Amino acid sequence: MELTAAEPRRKRLTQLFIDGEAAVKIDTETFLRSGLRPGDQITDETLRQLILASDARRANEKALYLLEHRDHSKKELADKIARTAASREAAQSAAQRMEELGLVNDEAYARRKAKELFQRKRYGAMRVRQELRQKGISSELIDELVEEYAGELAQENIAAILEKKYSGWQEDERTRRRAFAALQRMGYSYGQIREGMRREEDFGEFEE
C-alpha cells in the first residue's frame, strides 16, 4: 500500500490517503513522529500501530484536559473520553494511567461528591447512592459514606427544603403533595418524609 497524501484536518488531525483513497484520520503529532511521508509504502501492521498510537495519545490528552477543569471518578473519566476522543480501550487505558499518576482517586472523589450531595444539594441517601453508582464508585465505599452522612443530615435537610421551597405546606394539601413528591425524587424514603413533616408540624404547634 502506498501513502499517497496526508492532509491536515481540524482538531489537530491528519487525513491519510492510501492508494489514492481517504483512509483514516490520525493525530497529527503521532503522524509526524512516525516519519512517514507521501510516497512511502505502508503495511497493514504499520497502519494498525499508527492508529493505536494516535488513539492512545488523543485519549491521554483528553483525560488531562478534563481533569484540568474538575475532578472525575475513573469510570466517569473513561466514559467521557470514549464518547468524544478515542476508543473504549484507549479511554480505559488513559483513565488507568491518570490513576497511576495520582490524578484520579476514586475514594477522595467519592468523599467530596458525597459531601456535596448531602450538604449542598440536600439529597437523601437513595439519590446519593444512585449518583455515586453512576460514577463507578464501589458499593462498599458508598455504604460507608451513606452511613457517615445520611443519618445526621436527613431530618435537617428535609426541614430546610420544606422551609425554603414549600412554605405553607402545612395549610395547603396541594403544596404538601408537591413537597412529598419532590422529597421522594431527592432520595428520601416514605418514612423519613413522614417523620420530617411530623416534626415540623409539632415544632410549629410548639412555637404557637
Side-chain angles (χ1 to χ4, degrees), residues 49-76:
Q49 291 298 326
L50 196 60
I51 292 170
L52 290 175
S54 171
D55 219 21
R57 178 178 170 82
R58 294 189 70 204
N60 281 301
E61 286 191 341
K62 186 65 174 183
L64 291 169
Y65 171 81
L66 291 169
L67 291 171
E68 281 180 2
H69 290 79
R70 70 168 178 84
D71 288 341
H72 289 70
S73 69
K74 186 177 178 181
K75 177 182 181 300
E76 181 186 26

Side-chain angles (χ1 to χ4, degrees), residues 29-48:
E29 181 66 22
T30 301
F31 174 69
L32 293 175
R33 289 182 179 183
S34 74
L36 290 168
R37 296 289 185 274
D40 289 349
Q41 295 297 307
I42 183 170
T43 65
D44 286 337
E45 178 60 20
T46 299
L47 182 60
R48 189 181 76 86

